[in-house]
Amino acid sequence: QAQLVESGGGLVQAGGSLRLSCEASGSILSGNDMAWYRQRSSKQRELVAHINTGGSPYYADSVKDRFTISRDNGKNTVYLQMDSLKPEDTAVYYCNLVQSTGMYWGQGTQVTVSS
């Protein structure tokens, strides 16, 4: 089993920045993929960014060139640097880990961007 704990959410004005962190603990296996998803009000959870164990990133079109995903394998931690934030980025952001034992989710952290 793996446990994920997110931190770094909060309230920010449009154009501002936030950095989310997610630390994984428990039985963390090598070769895992990590990602950030978000769920905006009354909408389905959507993929924001993904990074594999080798560090290759993928971004949703809506955040490309504004968000940066990175990971520290030694700390079992994934980060999401969010710049040029927009009100439509307001959502609960969830950390996700996929490894051979299954898929795991964090509890979510609220990001609110005011206009």
Side-chain angles (χ1 to χ4, degrees), residues 59-74:
Y59 299 97
D61 287 343
S62 59
V63 306
K64 201 171 293 183
D65 298 326
R66 298 189 298 122
F67 291 10
T68 303
I69 190 170
S70 61
R71 62 186 293 167
D72 184 333
N73 290 335

Side-chain angles (χ1 to χ4, degrees), residues 29-34 50-58 69-73 98:
L29 306 178
S30 60
N32 60 63
D33 292 347
M34 300 191 79
H50 170 277
I51 188 166
N52 64 18
T53 191
S56 296
Y58 164 84
I69 190 170
S70 61
R71 62 186 293 167
D72 184 333
N73 290 335
V98 177

Side-chain angles (χ1 to χ4, degrees), residues 12-104:
V12 64
Q13 288 189 328
S17 298
L18 282 175
R19 188 192 195 208
L20 305 183
S21 300
C22 171
E23 182 176 2
S25 61
S27 298
I28 308 302
L29 306 178
S30 60
N32 60 63
D33 292 347
M34 300 191 79
W36 287 96
Y37 286 72
R38 68 185 179 188
Q39 187 162 15
R40 292 180 279 189
S41 179
S42 303
K43 296 197 174 182
Q44 287 188 324
R45 194 172 296 189
E46 61 180 355
L47 176 64
V48 175
H50 170 277
I51 188 166
N52 64 18
T53 191
S56 296
Y58 164 84
Y59 299 97
D61 287 343
S62 59
V63 306
K64 201 171 293 183
D65 298 326
R66 298 189 298 122
F67 291 10
T68 303
I69 190 170
S70 61
R71 62 186 293 167
D72 184 333
N73 290 335
K75 296 181 179 179
N76 291 324
T77 300
V78 64
Y79 305 96
L80 186 68
Q81 177 66 41
M82 305 185 293
D83 299 318
S84 302
L85 282 161
K86 304 175 180 180
E88 52 263 43
D89 294 317
T90 294
V92 178
Y93 284 71
Y94 295 91
C95 179
N96 172 270
L97 168 72
V98 177
Q99 60 186 22
S100 60
T101 57
M103 178 183 289
Y104 304 90

